Amino acid sequence: MSFFEKIKAGLKKTKENTAANINAVFATFRTVDEELLSDLEDALILADIGAYTASEAIDELRKQSKLQNLQTKEEVIDCLAKILADKMAPNGGLRLETKPSVILMVGVNGVGKTTSIGKIGAKLTAQGKKVLFAAADTFRAAAADQLSIWAQRAGADIVRHSEGADPSAVIFDALTAAKARGVDVVICDTAGRLHNKQNLMNELEKMRRVIDRELPGASVETLLVLDATTGQNAISQAEGFNSVTGLTGLVLTKLDGTAKGGIAIHVSSAMKVPVKFIGVGEQADDLLEFNALEFTRAFFDEKEDA
């Protein structure tokens, strides 16, 4: 199944919601006028694209409609899909240019950090990279056990301490082991934490300092894992974590479980941070490397899935 087909399947709930609104907008389509543009803007907002992002996109569509003389529904939707894709921060993939490189996974509780680590680790080992997991979620019971299972599945090493240990000490030991073993990528699990709990964010900041101290000049990807079903609250989460860790990318999970998949567009556009991966199912290959234009095209695609 291609990326586009997987996206279409994963966005089924979103497409059912959005397509119904879009179809209603175009039911009496004759030309691109202010009424059509206003109704399209409302449809985008209902899909959680966000009022500001939707307004900017429709302003650009208004300009492009005149420049390109858009005549058909298909031309309007193709143009709008490209506008929305262009508003997102471009995804250049994971930048893992040093040996070792580090991926620091952060986010609130229950968003799927550990599962995402397992899936990313499997992708990297399939590319021939030597991967090590750092089990720095020492707060949640059995978190390290869960990560160990994913390490076995992915063919990765793991460094873990006992429950309640200092997370920064786990990171330190993992980086030391990585240098000794010739590891390509260290992926660090962290405990879920609310972005407005200062003591927990300070702990995360300490972990980042350990990475910078032990691997000066190393490639570090800091990925925020967001549950797409949380909708607009994803923005405040992203702002909170970005202020502490400096996010380089987003991982949106559970897109298949929401009718408002437009949050992927909104949060990337608002934060100027690329979506690196999206989760559209439970299987390991359901964590997809993000392609903005194919995503926005699938977002509006009305054809039935095979």
Side-chain angles (χ1 to χ4, degrees), residues 149-161:
I149 292 169
W150 275 109
Q152 285 183 327
R153 291 177 185 168
D157 291 342
I158 186 168
V159 168
R160 55 181 293 181
H161 286 191

Side-chain angles (χ1 to χ4, degrees), residues 220-288:
V220 181
E221 288 274 7
T222 304
L223 304 184
L224 173 64
V225 184
L226 293 168
D227 180 337
T229 64
T230 61
Q232 293 298 312
N233 190 43
I235 293 291
S236 59
Q237 290 180 27
E239 289 172 342
F241 280 97
N242 189 49
S243 67
V244 171
T245 61
L247 300 176
T248 62
L250 306 169
V251 180
L252 267 81
T253 61
K254 308 177 190 177
L255 266 170
D256 54 320
T258 180
K260 296 189 173 185
I263 192 61
I265 299 167
H266 181 35
V267 70
S268 177
S269 174
M271 294 300 301
K272 309 302 180 192
V273 175
V275 177
K276 301 270 184 166
F277 297 95
I278 55 174
V280 295
E282 297 298 321
Q283 302 305 312
D285 60 355
D286 288 332
L287 187 73
L288 309 176

Side-chain angles (χ1 to χ4, degrees), residues 285-301:
D285 60 355
D286 288 332
L287 187 73
L288 309 176
E289 294 183 36
F290 189 73
N291 179 299
L293 186 56
E294 290 203 1
F295 179 84
T296 55
R297 283 178 173 162
F299 193 83
F300 295 113
D301 192 89

Side-chain angles (χ1 to χ4, degrees), residues 10 70 163 302:
L70 303 179
E163 189 176 328
E302 298 174 66

Side-chain angles (χ1 to χ4, degrees), residues 66-286:
K66 294 174 182 175
L67 287 171
Q68 300 180 38
N69 191 27
L70 303 179
Q71 297 289 329
T72 68
K73 170 185 173 181
E74 289 72 27
E75 288 174 346
V76 173
I77 288 179
D78 281 349
C79 184
L80 183 55
K82 186 175 187 308
I83 288 167
L84 290 170
D86 288 345
K87 290 190 69 60
M88 302 179 75
N91 176 22
L94 294 174
R95 297 188 63 182
L96 305 172
E97 298 165 353
T98 61
K99 184 173 181 175
S101 296
V102 179
I103 302 174
L104 180 65
M105 303 288 280
V106 301
V108 303
N109 297 298
V111 294
K113 284 189 304 299
T114 305
T115 300
S116 296
I117 286 170
K119 292 177 179 180
I120 292 172
K123 287 179 183 294
L124 292 173
T125 56
Q127 296 168 12
K129 294 186 182 296
K130 188 170 183 178
V131 177
L132 184 146
F133 292 165
D137 179 355
T138 59
F139 179 77
R140 182 169 61 90
D145 291 339
Q146 183 186 0
L147 192 64
S148 293
I149 292 169
W150 275 109
Q152 285 183 327
R153 291 177 185 168
D157 291 342
I158 186 168
V159 168
R160 55 181 293 181
H161 286 191
S162 59
E163 189 176 328
D166 179 1
S168 293
V170 179
I171 299 286
F172 175 84
D173 285 353
L175 299 180
T176 301
K179 287 183 280 189
R181 301 177 195 175
V183 165
D184 294 299
V185 185
V186 180
I187 309 181
C188 305
D189 195 10
T190 62
R193 65 201 68 223
L194 292 173
H195 53 286
N196 56 4
K197 297 295 185 184
Q198 193 57 50
N199 60 322
L200 296 177
M201 297 306 279
N202 290 343
E203 182 183 79
L204 195 58
E205 196 172 25
K206 179 183 174 184
M207 288 184 239
R208 181 57 203 256
R209 287 200 305 270
V210 169
I211 294 169
D212 291 339
R213 185 188 71 217
E214 296 304 313
L215 292 177
S219 299
V220 181
E221 288 274 7
T222 304
L223 304 184
L224 173 64
V225 184
L226 293 168
D227 180 337
T229 64
T230 61
Q232 293 298 312
N233 190 43
I235 293 291
S236 59
Q237 290 180 27
E239 289 172 342
F241 280 97
N242 189 49
S243 67
V244 171
T245 61
L247 300 176
T248 62
L250 306 169
V251 180
L252 267 81
T253 61
K254 308 177 190 177
L255 266 170
D256 54 320
T258 180
K260 296 189 173 185
I263 192 61
I265 299 167
H266 181 35
V267 70
S268 177
S269 174
M271 294 300 301
K272 309 302 180 192
V273 175
V275 177
K276 301 270 184 166
F277 297 95
I278 55 174
V280 295
E282 297 298 321
Q283 302 305 312
D285 60 355
D286 288 332

